Amino acid sequence: MVGPPTREYLYKILVVGDLGTGKTSIIRRYVHNIFSNNYKSTIGVDFALKVIQWAPEIIIRLQLWDIAGQERFGNMTRVYYKEALGAFVVYDVTRPQTFEGVTKWKQDLDSKVSLPEPWGGGHIPVVLLANKTDMLQEGHGQPINHQELNQFCRDNGFSNWFETSAKDNSNIDEAARHLIESIVAIEDEHGTLMVDDMDDDSIHLDQSKHHDHYSGGSGCC
């Protein structure tokens, strides 16, 4: 007996936040399950692909776009954000000034990208990542106030938040699963996107040529 045909979906996910918050480390851990203290700072944008067997008949290809921390001050983010269906905003729990950038990144996302019209438009789901929690255990930074962060996410339209550590591989898979579930829930409500609903470039990328430039270097991002 032949089972249901396999369906494949491509979801473009943005990973944004101030310089040095660990965006590249999170992507590298999630996609390749490796960690290094020596990643070169991302310049412009980079992306990697993660293929997930979401269900027996469903394959999801996550296209994770690593947006450089300084890009919020440029005019290219509208291009980078185009056709994204979800996003992570990352801050460094040991550097309070990076949390101050969270609201600005969220506002930037809300003003420049929205869900496709067949899905009703509106803001894309965004998850906040409180990153580098391994350093809290080492005595760096202040403990996270969960109640305040819950309220902050409600006030600013985040779908959820997670304490993460690329070094310890803590909560990264869980955060990604939550974001995918948010997108899938929207799709279940409004129906599957057809190719005509989005730009061809966003649906049919040559995956053998995707930019996976996460190699060693100086500095950390």
Side-chain angles (χ1 to χ4, degrees), residues 12-24:
K12 177 178 176 179
I13 305 296
L14 306 172
V15 184
V16 303
D18 285 357
L19 187 68
T21 53
K23 301 181 295 298
T24 300

Side-chain angles (χ1 to χ4, degrees), residues 19 21 25 32-33 49 61 73 102 109 132-133 149 152 172 177 181 183 204 207 210-211:
L19 187 68
T21 53
S25 297
H32 301 295
N33 196 27
L49 189 70
R61 297 179 183 273
F73 304 102
V102 164
L109 290 166
K132 303 189 183 182
T133 54
L149 207 50
F152 175 84
I172 293 174
R177 172 166 286 276
E181 287 174 344
I183 299 171
H204 300 296
Q207 290 154 1
H210 75 275
H211 301 289

